[in-house]
Amino acid sequence: MSIKPFLLAALVAAFAPSALSAPIKIAVVAPEGDALGLLGDQARRGANAAAGDRAQLVMLSESCEDGSGPKLADMIKAAGVQAAVGFLCTDSLDGSLAPLSEAKIPVITIGIRAPIPMEDALRHGWPLFRLAPGPQAERERLAETIRRYWADKPFAILDDGTITSRDTAEWVRNALETQGLKPTFTDTFRPAQEVQTQLMRRLAKAGVTHVFAAADRADMAVMARDAKKAGLPLVFLGGDALNAVDMDAPLESGVLAVTTPDWTEQPDAKAIVEALAATGQSADGYALPAAAAA
């Protein structure tokens, strides 16, 4: 019952001639106000651009609060829509998927990567689809990248001690070791430090040349900067967490990341990007995924 469609294929379909004789009604579920409201604005912007006169959009706000799912499902059903897209918050799906499935209203989430909603949907046959990659996609690609390019390199695997970071590092390490590839050095570093000179010394002593760190952008920036200061020609690799803004220290040029592509630069996204630009709007953030979903 579940698929994970590719964004660009969906964008192509979004701009294909509609075979429907009348516009369908779609709920666009996204947060409003505060910081999350900025992301919600991106989703509403993209959905509007893609819908045109072929779909009637009903804008609904998700509070992203625990236990808000059933109330949100009632709002979606009351709107009389044929589908619901958006859903940036996991709490919005918790408690809403079952009643929406009973009402035969499919859901397309453009941002939720958490495994539990999809696992529940697969188990119960609920019509949940997602444009965001699953939680294992990043880990699988990280292990594939290290195996493909670092098999003959002395490499390290680092985590920052948090559950997510530790689980990612351990998953990647186990995946590599099943292929006979073991790291030269593993370690847990303290996150949110102004300097990581001691960590750099440990890496130098271990003789590694390549480092995978399950770290956020701020920590990776400090590590890469301190390695450069120490004259260590280390190659750093991180995950999707590096796709963020610089904090105190800018990210050094040459740091690698396994992350989703910039969809605005893809040829197949040109039409929607230009459509938004024509009205003075940008295709940043969730705009393109929302356009594809709509």
Side-chain angles (χ1 to χ4, degrees):
M1 295 290 294
S2 173
I3 61 171
K4 288 172 276 187
F6 292 101
L7 176 59
L8 296 185
L11 280 170
V12 172
F15 282 89
S18 175
L20 299 176
S21 58
I24 64 171
K25 201 172 184 181
I26 304 171
V28 179
V29 180
E32 296 179 351
D34 300 326
L36 287 177
L38 297 175
L39 304 180
D41 290 342
Q42 296 169 357
R44 286 181 283 272
R45 183 191 314 149
N48 271 320
D53 59 359
R54 294 173 297 158
Q56 178 184 352
L57 302 184
V58 179
M59 302 299 176
L60 298 177
S61 176
E62 57 178 333
S63 67
C64 297
E65 296 177 355
D66 185 27
S68 62
K71 182 179 179 180
L72 181 58
D74 289 340
M75 294 169 57
I76 294 171
K77 290 190 293 182
V81 300
Q82 283 77 53
V85 305
F87 296 88
L88 307 187
C89 305
T90 304
D91 287 325
S92 300
L93 293 182
D94 186 18
S96 69
L97 288 177
L100 290 177
S101 178
E102 292 177 0
K104 302 186 185 304
I105 299 175
V107 169
I108 304 177
T109 173
I110 61 175
I112 296 174
R113 303 186 183 190
I116 293 179
M118 185 57 73
E119 291 171 358
D120 288 344
L122 291 171
R123 183 165 59 252
H124 297 290
W126 297 334
L128 172 66
F129 310 93
R130 68 180 175 212
L131 294 181
Q136 286 298 94
E138 178 189 26
R139 295 174 178 180
E140 291 171 354
R141 187 55 60 88
L142 282 165
E144 176 188 340
T145 299
I146 295 172
R147 183 168 54 247
R148 179 181 297 181
Y149 299 107
W150 294 4
D152 59 344
K153 313 292 185 185
F155 67 91
I157 295 180
L158 308 178
D159 71 84
D160 65 10
T162 61
I163 294 176
T164 300
S165 175
R166 187 172 62 246
D167 287 350
T168 296
E170 184 177 355
W171 193 97
V172 171
R173 180 178 59 80
N174 289 336
L176 292 172
E177 290 187 353
T178 60
Q179 300 291 322
L181 191 60
K182 294 185 177 182
T184 301
F185 180 74
T186 59
D187 199 7
T188 298
F189 66 90
R190 293 183 61 187
Q193 301 298 298
E194 294 183 0
V195 295
Q196 290 287 2
T197 52
Q198 291 185 357
L199 175 61
M200 295 306 107
R201 294 191 190 103
R202 294 199 297 272
L203 291 170
K205 185 177 180 180
V208 301
T209 59
H210 293 63
V211 179
F212 162 61
D216 63 23
R217 186 181 179 100
D219 287 329
M220 184 70 85
V222 171
M223 285 188 280
R225 180 203 63 195
D226 289 354
K228 184 177 180 180
K229 286 183 177 180
L232 299 176
L234 297 178
V235 176
F236 287 94
L237 169 69
D240 195 47
L242 299 190
N243 190 9
V245 298
D246 282 328
M247 301 300 287
D248 294 332
L251 194 64
E252 293 286 338
S253 176
V255 174
L256 307 175
V258 166
T259 185
T260 54
D262 183 353
W263 297 113
T264 62
E265 297 181 357
Q266 305 303 308
D268 290 331
K270 183 178 180 180
I272 188 67
V273 172
E274 291 180 348
L276 286 167
T279 57
Q281 301 178 89
S282 66
D284 59 337
Y286 285 106
L288 288 177

